[in-house]
Amino acid sequence: MLAIYRQKAIEAALRSIDMTGIAPEAEDEAEYYTRQNALSWRLIPVATTEIKARLASYGFDQHSINTDVYVQARDIFVLFEGLLNATQARRLLLIREIRRHRSPD
């Protein structure tokens, strides 16, 4: 999940670099290539190195990318945290119920 959000963060950073000042009639094609570059970043080690260097030259470091990933994924994190908390509460209720049935009256 985080790899997909990281790819989207890389895509957004590339978009901010590559799409600035682009002609409206070329936006769709540029968007396509930006998505392809972000996918290459994820799958091809040489492309990863080149894209990281390019992003760094425009001021995008790992901290800024990680921040973007967290912002994108925070709703998913909240959902998982809620599920984990609900599971923990249910487990505690079941343990109490088991203890209540095991204890002598």
Side-chain angles (χ1 to χ4, degrees), residues 21-93:
I22 201 149
E25 60 272 3
E27 284 181 357
D28 289 340
E29 187 175 354
E31 182 72 27
Y32 170 78
Y33 283 112
T34 300
R35 281 193 304 274
Q36 291 302 310
N37 285 337
L39 181 61
S40 296
W41 169 86
R42 194 174 84 168
L43 300 176
I44 303 170
V46 172
T48 302
T49 303
E50 291 173 1
I51 290 171
K52 279 183 181 179
R54 185 158 175 255
L55 291 174
S57 72
Y58 282 89
F60 291 95
D61 60 359
Q62 287 303 309
H63 179 69
S64 63
I65 298 296
N66 288 341
T67 301
D68 194 21
V69 169
Y70 177 75
V71 167
Q72 290 181 35
R74 80 174 161 229
D75 291 337
I76 297 296
F77 288 149
V78 169
L79 172 70
F80 282 136
E81 182 180 23
L83 290 172
L84 288 171
N85 289 338
T87 301
Q88 178 70 359
R90 179 75 176 148
R91 185 182 73 82
L92 291 174
L93 287 173

